[in-house]
């Protein structure tokens, strides 16, 4: 590796081309295809197809995330100190994208001899999570290296979240459908969309292991190619980079300094943790909710298809809404919309309404509209936090700050998988049974509906404490540029 230099002048307030916005956003789509598949289906797979108990599955998630607490800050330091001949952040996507794809597929390896093996499940997930940090953290730092312009960052966030939600569409809508199409014990079923009927198999059966591996492998290879071809080699220019002196002075102890002096980082980090916790509560519990509470798992694809509409076709409204009502009110409005959708989904679970697919459509639409807006737009605040830290410390540590944000994200991801798993265990969920007890259904309802609503309310209070306004952050960025 060579020392990073900023001897070549670049416009740090550059206006980004559409090509660059789309190429960068393809990384979000790619990571959803690779790692989003794991977040959406792994606990369900582990406790039904793979044969682990709910408590064991949740404990695996817990231990891996505890290791991430130590691992991610170290990775952030490595990223901040690194520099390659062909860039500072982009090369990580190539060098670690290959092993990430391989290990992600191995999580679903359909070998009967390893079924139910706790050690295989743990070590394969641990390896995948550790490698993922070397992709996710530099990718996040790359976001802050493209421009300092707040309006450009807002537009870039809208574009990348549109592509991320296309990835979510492929993961949360079509992935379960493809797995069911490839699973055994098929029977013709109405999927709840324009009367379309398909031969769907039982994806909760141990015999479905091969179907998971086949579908997951295809998704992960496509994701890697997107990450490699678009993000690494085409259309991305790293402009806002630390100087050679700043790079040399980076230490892992900077993490504690940033946490101590950077209030926006602390506030946004707590918001990330809580918001992603209730987001992944829904992702983890949704297959259980459709399978056992609603009793129409064949409707998952069509319900999720409707729910994906706001995250793809309404994202263009985010910058407009933010300019009209401000950052804090933006989050209040969409978190409230999320709660409305949750309540509609709860009503849908009542016996007299379970066959009313229209209620599921409306509830999932509002729930996803609020969720994708709130958890998507908050990524636009990360470059602000990096700039504020640079202003305070005179040192740009985008990798360390993104490792912290990634850590907060992963803690939320873990809690969103761990807590529902333990709730299932507490309420005696049994993955071997086609029909669950009343207590088990209560646990699923708590995880899917009520705890996410509580966390959404807490998130509103947290974001009310975020201190950076648009004028202040623009002033900070221009003072940094003048100083540099």
């Amino acid at each position: 590796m060579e020392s990073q230099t900023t001897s070549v002048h670049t416009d740090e307030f550059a206006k980004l081309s559409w090509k660059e916005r789309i190429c960068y956003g393809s990384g979000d789509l790619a990571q959803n295809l690779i790692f989003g598949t794991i977040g959406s289906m792994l606990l369900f797979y582990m406790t039904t197809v793979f044969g682990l108990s709910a408590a064991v599955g949740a404990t695996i998630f817990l231990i891996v995330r505890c290791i991430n607490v130590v691992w991610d800050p170290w990775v952030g330091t490595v990223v901040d100190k690194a520099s390659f001949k062909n860039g500072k952040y982009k090369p990580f996507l190539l060098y670690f994208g290959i092993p990430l794809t391989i290990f992600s597929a191995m999580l679903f390896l359909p070998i009967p001899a390893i079924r139910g093996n706790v050690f295989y499940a743990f070590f394969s997930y641990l390896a995948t999570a550790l490698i993922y940090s070397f992709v996710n953290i530099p990718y996040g730092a790359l976001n802050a290296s493209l421009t300092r312009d707040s309006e450009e960052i807002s537009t870039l966030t809208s574009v990348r979240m549109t592509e991320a939600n296309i990835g979510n569409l492929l993961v949360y809508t079509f992935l379960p459908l493809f797995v069911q199409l490839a699973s055994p014990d098929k029977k013709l079923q109405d999927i709840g969309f324009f009367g379309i009927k398909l031969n769907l198999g039982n994806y909760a059966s141990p015999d479905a292991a091969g179907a998971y591996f086949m579908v997951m492998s295809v998704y992960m290879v496509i994701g890697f190619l997107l990450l490699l071809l678009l993000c690494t080699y085409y259309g991305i220019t790293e402009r806002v980079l630390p100087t050679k002196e700043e790079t040399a002075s980076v230490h892992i102890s900077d993490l504690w300094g940033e946490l101590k002096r950077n209030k926006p980082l602390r506030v946004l980090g707590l918001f990330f943790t809580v918001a992603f916790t209730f987001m992944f509560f829904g992702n983890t519990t949704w297959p259980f909710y459709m399978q056992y509470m609603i009793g129409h798992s064949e409707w998952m694809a069509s319900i999720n298809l409707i729910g994906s509409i706001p995250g793809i076709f309404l994202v263009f409204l985010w910058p407009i809404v933010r300019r009209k009502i401000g950052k804090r009110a933006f989050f209040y409005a969409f978190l409230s919309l999320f709660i409305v959708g949750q309540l509609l989904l709860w009503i849908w679970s009542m016996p007299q309404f379970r066959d009313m697919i229209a209620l599921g459509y409306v509830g999932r639409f509002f729930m996803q509209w609020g969720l994708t807006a709130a958890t998507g737009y908050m990524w636009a605040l990360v470059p602000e936090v990096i700039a504020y830290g640079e202003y305070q410390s005179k040192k740009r540590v985008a990798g360390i700050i993104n490792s912290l944000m990634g850590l907060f994200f992963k803690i939320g991801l873990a809690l969103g998988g761990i807590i529902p798993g333990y709730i299932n265990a507490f309420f005696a969920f049994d993955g071997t049974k086609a029909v669950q007890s009343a207590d088990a259904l209560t646990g699923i309802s708590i995880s899917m509906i009520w705890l996410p609503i509580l966390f959404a309310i807490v998130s509103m209070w947290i974001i009310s404490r975020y201190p950076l306004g648009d004028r202040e952050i623009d002033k900070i960025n221009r003072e940094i540029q003048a100083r540099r």
Side-chain angles (χ1 to χ4, degrees):
M1 292 186 293
E2 296 180 351
S3 297
Q4 180 70 27
T5 178
T6 56
S7 59
V8 178
H9 175 73
T10 57
D11 180 9
E12 294 191 350
F13 286 84
K15 300 296 182 181
L16 306 181
S17 68
W18 275 101
K19 177 184 177 182
E20 190 164 13
R21 293 166 184 161
I22 292 170
C23 285
Y24 180 75
S26 70
D28 284 278
L29 195 162
Q31 290 182 81
N32 276 343
L33 291 181
I34 298 172
F35 206 72
T37 55
I38 297 171
S40 68
M41 296 298 292
L42 187 59
L43 184 64
F44 185 81
Y45 171 84
M46 281 186 173
T47 56
T48 55
V49 177
F50 195 73
L52 298 181
S53 70
V56 169
T59 301
I60 289 174
F61 277 59
L62 174 62
I63 295 173
V64 170
R65 290 308 166 214
C66 288
I67 294 172
N68 269 129
V69 170
V70 179
W71 178 259
D72 279 16
W74 176 78
V75 173
T77 306
V78 171
V79 170
D80 273 331
K81 294 187 76 68
S83 180
F84 303 86
K85 291 181 179 180
N86 53 340
K88 182 173 179 65
Y89 304 119
K90 293 189 294 183
F92 283 97
L93 308 185
L94 169 61
Y95 300 148
F96 289 92
I98 295 173
L100 175 62
T101 303
I102 295 171
F103 277 92
S104 296
M106 287 180 65
L107 283 168
F108 303 93
L109 204 60
I111 299 177
I114 64 171
R115 183 179 184 272
N117 189 305
V118 176
F119 292 101
Y120 181 86
F122 170 71
F123 285 109
S124 59
Y125 184 47
L126 175 63
T128 304
L130 297 184
I131 295 169
Y132 179 64
S133 296
F134 273 105
V135 172
N136 181 253
I137 290 171
Y139 177 77
L142 182 61
N143 176 39
S145 78
L146 301 181
T147 184
R148 291 186 185 273
D149 189 288
S150 296
E151 289 297 322
E152 279 300 310
I153 291 171
S154 180
T155 302
L156 176 65
T157 301
S158 299
V159 173
R160 66 178 288 202
M161 287 301 109
T162 299
E163 294 187 66
N165 288 317
I166 292 173
N168 286 336
L169 171 67
L170 295 172
V171 170
Y172 297 110
T173 298
F174 292 107
L175 178 75
L177 178 64
F178 292 151
V179 173
Q180 289 180 82
L181 286 169
S183 294
D185 304 322
K186 292 183 175 65
K187 59 181 180 179
L188 193 64
Q189 299 182 67
D190 187 336
I191 67 170
F193 196 69
F194 296 120
I196 297 173
K197 294 183 179 182
L198 296 174
N199 282 307
L200 303 181
N202 180 11
Y203 74 154
S205 165
D207 295 329
Y212 277 89
F213 180 73
M214 179 178 64
V215 176
M216 298 295 182
S217 297
V218 171
Y219 267 55
M220 290 162 194
V221 169
I222 294 172
F224 170 70
L225 291 176
L226 286 171
L227 199 65
L228 170 65
L229 295 178
L230 293 182
C231 260
T232 307
Y233 289 116
Y234 294 104
I236 302 295
T237 301
E238 298 173 341
R239 300 180 184 88
V240 186
L241 296 173
T243 64
K244 183 168 58 177
E245 293 76 17
E246 288 174 328
T247 298
S249 67
V250 170
H251 304 286
I252 195 169
S253 58
D254 291 325
L255 179 149
W256 309 111
E258 286 297 328
L259 281 174
K260 182 178 179 180
R261 63 177 163 261
N262 195 329
K263 179 180 177 181
L265 171 63
R266 296 195 302 271
V267 173
L268 189 60
L270 184 58
F271 184 83
F272 261 55
T273 302
V274 176
F276 279 115
T277 295
F278 71 77
M279 174 181 175
F280 283 104
F281 257 81
N283 292 346
T284 300
T285 314
W286 182 241
F288 295 95
Y289 196 76
M290 289 297 297
Q291 181 85 7
Y292 302 108
M293 291 292 296
I294 304 300
H296 288 289
S297 60
E298 73 276 10
W299 289 352
M300 278 189 66
S302 59
I303 296 290
N304 288 346
L305 182 62
I306 298 300
S308 69
I309 291 174
I312 298 175
F313 298 105
L314 300 181
V315 174
F316 74 94
L317 294 173
W318 293 1
I320 299 172
V321 174
R322 198 268 303 171
R323 283 195 295 270
K324 292 289 185 181
I325 65 177
K327 279 185 285 198
R328 294 187 188 91
F330 178 97
F331 289 105
Y332 301 154
F334 283 105
L335 287 169
S336 298
L337 190 62
F338 166 80
I339 292 173
V340 171
Q342 288 287 95
L343 293 174
L344 289 174
L345 290 177
W346 169 65
I347 293 172
W348 188 36
S349 71
M350 296 178 181
Q352 63 270 35
F353 298 121
R354 287 177 186 169
D355 292 329
M356 295 178 59
I357 193 171
L359 188 56
Y361 284 152
V362 175
R364 190 70 171 172
F365 182 88
F366 285 144
M367 173 261 193
Q368 285 294 103
W369 193 2
L371 183 67
T372 53
T375 60
Y377 191 76
M378 64 186 179
W379 290 103
L381 306 187
V382 176
E384 297 182 1
V385 169
I386 293 171
Y388 182 85
E390 183 181 7
Y391 181 75
Q392 294 289 324
S393 67
K394 298 180 174 61
K395 186 187 298 186
R396 187 172 180 84
V397 287
I400 286 178
I401 289 179
N402 270 283
S403 74
L404 286 170
M405 303 315 298
L407 182 59
F408 295 134
F409 159 75
K410 290 174 186 176
I411 291 172
L413 184 154
L415 293 175
I418 292 166
I419 298 175
Y422 282 129
I423 289 174
N424 278 356
F426 179 80
F427 285 96
F429 172 83
D430 187 345
T432 65
K433 294 182 178 179
V435 178
Q436 299 296 322
S437 66
D439 285 346
L441 296 179
T442 297
I444 293 172
S445 183
I446 289 172
S447 295
M448 180 66 204
I449 303 297
W450 303 113
L451 280 178
I453 287 176
L454 175 62
F455 287 139
I457 294 170
V458 172
S459 296
M460 292 186 200
W461 177 82
I462 293 170
I463 204 64
S464 71
R465 299 300 194 248
Y466 185 75
L468 294 178
D470 291 337
R471 290 183 180 178
E472 182 179 2
I473 197 64
D474 184 65
K475 178 182 177 183
I476 286 172
N477 273 316
R478 295 196 178 278
E479 288 188 15
I480 292 172
Q481 187 186 43
R483 188 169 67 197
R484 284 159 65 92

